[in-house]
Amino acid sequence: MPTVSKVLNGRSDVSRATRAKVERLLDAHGYRRRTPSASRSPLIEIVFHELESIWAMELIRGVENVAKENRATVVLTESGTRHTPAPEWLPGVLQRRPLGVVLVFSTLREDIKRQLRAAAIPFVVIDPAGDPDPDVPSVGSANWAGGLAATRHLTDQGHVRVAIITGPEDVLCSLARLDGYRSAMAMAGLETDPWLMRFGDFHVQGGFEHAMDLLEGPDRPTAIFAGSDLQALGVLEAARVRGLRVPEELSVVGYDDVPLAQWSSPPLTTVHQPLRHMAEEAARMLLRPDDPGTAAQRIELATHLVVRQSTAPPKEA
């Protein structure tokens, strides 16, 4: 029993092999440590692989809204890659014993899931960056539908040469938005040109570099769908450098609808991804009476197009 207690409390003086064995036994027998609420820290922890992006701030605000309602404090942690937090994060969260953890990652390693469940720390994944495992509770949004709506808006305006700069190739939301783009092009009876389909990085510089390449030469696209508002800002800058007016000579659509989108020049047409609402739903899942660490509930929120001044029919249409 002393060894089991050490594992449940995240103590470091247990060998990796022994810890894994105890966790497997606890998981196999469905054991969940039940602790009085008074022993819980009034904390909700949100974990990112990077905190520099604008959409990260929207997620933080959503978690903070729910934390305030429940007289809890939000703890921010930066750890790991876009796919999973680093293992060094785990001992700290087991000692902090928060009310729950919101993770902005694609998935979680099996050993991390086992230890969080054994310690009765609920967790939920927010997945703008991926599609978590079936046993992981998550909140996401309709990425395919968003990609479809953005591209259909451009083809309905008469654009034929439509480019896309989506996100990283190993991130499922990037692929879903690309699939939505392909579907919209097919619905319009248009061929997809591989040269016009680019994998970006969701950041301004990536959008700028791809757009500078796309906008060089006479056979340039008349419209670009960027898989994030930050990439769209990079596209707007590339258009300025190339001497192209937006939307008269180039239409631009973004994705996310972060507050900055309406203040770009011109204001950005974009797909609204309900980031703050996603974070609020994730935080509420942690605080419900049922155990979200074992009930793999998935919530998918709708996206919709917000039309502003960065799109217009092509001049020849």
Side-chain angles (χ1 to χ4, degrees):
M1 286 303 292
T3 302
V4 173
S5 177
K6 289 178 180 180
V7 171
L8 289 172
N9 287 286
R11 293 271 297 275
S12 59
D13 54 341
V14 180
S15 72
R16 181 177 299 180
T18 300
R19 182 184 302 278
K21 182 178 180 180
V22 171
E23 288 164 0
R24 283 194 297 270
L25 287 171
L26 292 171
D27 195 49
H29 290 281
Y31 179 81
R32 299 290 180 268
R33 177 177 176 175
R34 302 297 178 186
T35 55
S37 59
S39 69
R40 286 281 194 195
S41 300
L43 307 173
I44 298 177
E45 187 155 347
I46 180 167
V47 190
F48 297 87
H49 81 277
E50 62 178 10
L51 285 167
E52 61 189 45
S53 59
I54 297 174
W55 61 259
M57 295 306 301
E58 288 298 293
L59 296 177
I60 292 168
R61 289 190 181 101
V63 174
E64 283 181 336
N65 290 343
V66 175
K68 288 177 182 177
E69 294 171 2
N70 292 273
R71 297 182 180 180
T73 301
V74 176
V75 175
L76 305 179
T77 301
E78 189 174 36
S79 175
T81 68
R82 73 171 71 98
H83 295 290
T84 189
E88 294 80 14
W89 161 75
L90 192 59
V93 73
L94 293 176
Q95 291 178 358
R96 286 187 290 275
R97 297 197 58 75
L99 299 173
V101 182
V102 174
L103 299 121
V104 188
F105 294 94
S106 299
T107 189
L108 287 177
R109 289 173 23 173
E110 288 299 323
D111 59 327
I112 292 178
K113 288 189 284 188
R114 283 198 307 268
Q115 291 189 61
L116 290 174
R117 286 169 177 155
I121 298 176
F123 59 89
V124 177
V125 168
I126 296 180
D127 62 341
D131 191 14
D133 295 333
D135 66 338
V136 176
S138 65
V139 180
S141 66
N143 288 292
W144 179 87
L148 180 78
T151 311
R152 284 197 67 177
H153 172 68
L154 295 169
T155 59
D156 287 349
Q157 288 187 323
H159 292 278
V160 175
R161 295 282 291 169
V162 180
I164 178 173
I165 307 170
T166 189
E169 191 170 3
D170 61 346
V171 173
L172 288 181
C173 69
S174 306
L175 300 176
R177 293 170 197 176
L178 178 60
D179 285 344
Y181 160 87
R182 289 191 178 112
S183 296
M185 294 292 283
M187 291 168 67
L190 300 172
E191 296 289 333
T192 53
D193 182 347
W195 187 76
L196 296 178
M197 295 184 288
R198 307 294 181 95
F199 287 101
D201 59 4
F202 289 141
H203 294 292
V204 175
Q205 185 66 30
F208 174 78
E209 291 173 358
H210 280 295
M212 286 294 288
D213 187 40
L214 287 165
L215 298 176
E216 184 179 18
D219 198 25
R220 63 174 181 81
T222 62
I224 297 178
F225 164 37
S228 73
D229 289 341
L230 293 180
Q231 287 186 149
L233 294 178
V235 173
L236 293 176
E237 177 59 15
R240 186 193 68 79
V241 172
R242 293 292 189 201
L244 299 173
R245 294 173 298 155
V246 177
E248 293 85 357
E249 296 172 284
L250 178 71
S251 288
V252 180
V253 178
Y255 201 105
D256 287 331
D257 195 24
V258 296
L260 187 63
Q262 61 186 309
W263 297 105
S264 66
S265 183
L268 187 64
T269 294
T270 185
V271 175
H272 178 79
Q273 182 174 211
L275 295 170
R276 197 175 299 193
H277 188 192
M278 289 162 63
E280 290 172 346
E281 285 295 324
R284 290 191 180 105
M285 285 172 72
L286 296 173
L287 301 174
R288 286 173 188 153
D290 57 333
D291 184 359
T294 56
Q297 180 183 7
R298 177 171 175 81
I299 297 174
E300 184 172 277
L301 301 179
T303 55
H304 65 271
L305 188 70
V306 178
V307 179
R308 298 192 179 103
Q309 285 77 57
S310 67
T311 54
K315 288 194 297 184
E316 64 272 16

